[in-house]
Amino acid sequence: MDQQKIGCFIARQRKEKGMTQGELAGKLGITDKAVSKWETGKSMPDLSLFVPLCTLLEITLNELFAGERILAEQLKTKTDEVLLQVITDWLGGDAGSGKRKEAEGTALCDILKVENVSKRYRAGGLETAALHQVSFRVEKGSFVGIMGASGSGKTTLLNLIAAIDSPSEGVIEIGGKRTADLSDEEMAKFRREHLGFIFQEYNLLNTLTIYENIALALTIREEPEKDMDGRIRKLAGKLDIQSVLMQFPYEVSGGQRQRCACARAVVMKPDIILADEPTGALDSASARQLLDTFTMLCKEEGAAILMVTHDVLSASYCDRILFMRDGEIKTSLERGDADRQTFFARILQKTAWLEEESWK
């Protein structure tokens, strides 16, 4: 995609509608600066803004990606060309492997069960429903994504699964244990031993080396030093960070820091890894490398990963996508045997459909 061309097209259509940058930003609930970045080709609109932006400018999604008006007689041919170009630009030529095989020696079973979970908050006598009757399951060795616009309930759901917060109703089971049945002390121990966390901003300790950051949880659990060293170095080799183990986080790249965070999450062999926008602070090359790492962890380590993301590229690496809106799971999408390019296109179409539904 040509961001400069798209930016000029957005600016031209905005002006034709008689809107200033501030007026367009106000209608979309964003800042003037964001619109200015689009129009100068410095960035693209967030996925959740594609449909509302097209509605306000009275253009189609394909016209937005093409950066130009598409004549009716060219609609079918041009639409296919645009979609192919978008997929090629965002995914590259690698088609991926389709449905992943079960990790060797790993039996398929539900590692996470979320059943009829609701969350309500009270403030000043008012009650707000953040989640409503959410239900889904995650199998061992699977890579599941959660997508939705800001405020859809993604982070609230992740916090409930991590037992950082408690549901108002419903049941959450991890590895066969109901988190609500555990005391605070038991939950802290359970969280350390059964959950792995990967955040957008890495959350590494700059006073510790990469090796020491990975080893920290094992040290707290008083693992034998010999066993700990072997496990860390083997994992570092798989994640291609063995050469930076003795360096500090500020001395390595963002992609290496995030792979260190991966190693820290995986080294304890948790039941499930919770990843909150893990590619948000990475460039495109580092993001792809991290997502390839996630795929490897599912396949070779039998890790289950639940990833919150708004990015279609990241979502295309998953086995299944749950789409959230207004605190509910509105629909889901299974990858099945599809290659990554095909799954990417299906996610994009499903997201556009959901956005259109929300604007009706």
Side-chain angles (χ1 to χ4, degrees), residues 304-323:
I305 299 176
L306 184 63
M307 177 178 70
V308 165
T309 184
H310 70 276
D311 176 39
V312 181
L313 168 63
S314 299
S316 70
Y317 282 77
C318 297
D319 302 317
R320 178 163 55 111
I321 305 295
L322 308 174
F323 295 90

Side-chain angles (χ1 to χ4, degrees), residues 20 104 139 173:
T20 64
E104 186 176 350
E139 290 180 339
E173 257 186 40

Side-chain angles (χ1 to χ4, degrees), residues 1 3 42 44 86-92 202 253-256 258-259 278-293 311-317 340 344:
M1 290 183 295
Q3 286 192 191
K42 293 179 180 177
M44 282 284 290
V86 169
I87 293 172
T88 302
D89 287 348
W90 286 11
L91 296 185
Y202 323 125
S253 70
Q256 290 170 323
Q258 195 60 295
R259 292 201 300 282
T279 61
L282 301 178
D283 58 49
S284 59
S286 296
R288 286 183 174 88
Q289 194 170 20
L290 177 67
L291 293 162
D292 285 334
T293 296
D311 176 39
V312 181
L313 168 63
S314 299
S316 70
Y317 282 77
R340 192 153 50 84
F344 177 96

Side-chain angles (χ1 to χ4, degrees), residues 322-351:
L322 308 174
F323 295 90
M324 294 193 70
R325 191 179 73 215
D326 301 330
E328 299 179 4
I329 294 178
K330 293 297 184 181
T331 188
S332 63
L333 198 59
E334 297 276 351
R335 178 172 174 177
D337 293 320
D339 60 36
R340 192 153 50 84
Q341 280 88 339
T342 301
F343 194 42
F344 177 96
R346 289 169 59 200
I347 295 169
L348 195 62
Q349 290 166 351
K350 181 71 76 172
T351 303

Side-chain angles (χ1 to χ4, degrees), residues 93-114:
D94 179 17
S97 58
K99 189 173 182 178
R100 293 182 198 93
K101 294 181 180 179
E102 179 183 339
E104 186 176 350
T106 300
L108 289 177
C109 61
D110 292 329
I111 205 68
L112 170 67
K113 297 180 183 179
V114 177

Side-chain angles (χ1 to χ4, degrees), residues 48 142 173 233 237 298 341:
S48 63
S142 64
E173 257 186 40
R233 293 188 183 279
C298 291
Q341 280 88 339

Side-chain angles (χ1 to χ4, degrees), residues 5-26:
K5 184 178 179 182
I6 291 171
C8 290
F9 181 56
I10 291 173
R12 186 166 63 250
Q13 294 303 122
R14 171 183 60 76
K15 292 172 182 176
E16 284 186 10
K17 297 299 173 189
M19 284 188 283
T20 64
Q21 288 185 345
E23 288 170 337
L24 179 58

